[in-house]
Amino acid sequence: MRLILVILAAIWTLPAAALDLNAPFTNIDGGTLKLSDWAGQPVLVVNTASRCGFTDQYEGLQALYDRYQSRGLIVLAVPSGDFRQELASNEEVKDFCTLTYGIDLPMTGITSVRGAHAHPFYVSVAKDVGFTPAWNFNKILIAPDGTVAATFGSTVRPLSSILTDEIEPLLN
């Protein structure tokens, strides 16, 4: 009986699955980037699409980045074709975002965020907190310690108090 209790105690105290912050993303500007590059900073990771009803959130994402970048916030746009609303190439996405919204926040190349081909970061978020993007412009807030601080659906606007109230305590 004692052995069973020891085994059960060990199982219950296992740490949660760690987020994969080291898996490289293709950088839309060339090369790669990793979430671990911003260790110690809050990072808002947003799966985006250029042809979505929520695409105008790019404007708010850029404004959020501009507002809080000097205090440590990184906003990472992750274009995804998983919902069939993204342009065909990284170059088209970059041109669209730059010309239409003046985006200069970090962006990955087109990346799968769900399903069998999901990027390892998204797989680890699903395992760690049970969150998988249900649509474009879902948001994952990573705390400076590398844990998931909060997740948000598409309807949460980038400058809404629902989101900024979660971000502000994490800033420098």
Side-chain angles (χ1 to χ4, degrees):
M1 183 66 163
R2 182 178 169 102
L3 178 60
I4 292 172
L5 291 175
V6 169
I7 291 170
L8 286 175
I11 291 170
W12 285 328
T13 59
L14 288 176
L19 292 181
D20 191 345
L21 304 177
N22 288 312
F25 285 92
T26 300
N27 186 331
I28 203 160
D29 293 320
T32 59
L33 55 83
K34 298 181 289 188
L35 292 167
S36 61
D37 293 340
W38 299 299
Q41 295 176 258
V43 181
L44 183 67
V45 182
V46 185
N47 64 296
T48 61
S50 302
R51 301 287 183 228
C52 175
F54 294 106
T55 300
D56 67 341
Q57 286 191 28
Y58 268 125
E59 184 175 341
L61 292 172
Q62 183 64 49
L64 184 73
Y65 183 61
D66 292 343
R67 180 186 294 178
Y68 294 124
Q69 179 185 14
S70 66
R71 295 180 57 200
L73 179 68
I74 299 297
V75 177
L76 178 65
V78 181
S80 178
D82 288 353
F83 303 104
R84 295 184 170 90
Q85 294 186 321
E86 190 50 272
L87 298 170
S89 71
N90 289 340
E91 295 76 21
E92 288 176 286
V93 172
K94 177 70 176 179
D95 288 346
F96 172 79
C97 289
T98 302
L99 297 172
T100 308
Y101 295 103
I103 297 296
D104 70 357
L105 54 85
M107 293 184 75
T108 72
I110 299 171
T111 303
S112 184
V113 300
R114 58 182 293 128
H117 301 290
H119 185 276
F121 165 73
Y122 283 94
V123 171
S124 69
V125 170
K127 286 181 183 174
D128 192 45
V129 297
F131 181 81
T132 300
W135 194 244
N136 301 309
F137 291 88
N138 279 207
K139 300 154 191 79
I140 303 167
L141 179 60
I142 306 300
D145 68 1
T147 61
V148 173
T151 60
F152 307 90
S154 303
T155 59
V156 174
R157 308 296 287 181
L159 296 173
S160 70
S161 62
I162 294 168
L163 184 55
T164 59
D165 287 352
E166 293 291 332
I167 291 170
E168 287 180 356
L170 304 176
L171 299 172
N172 294 330

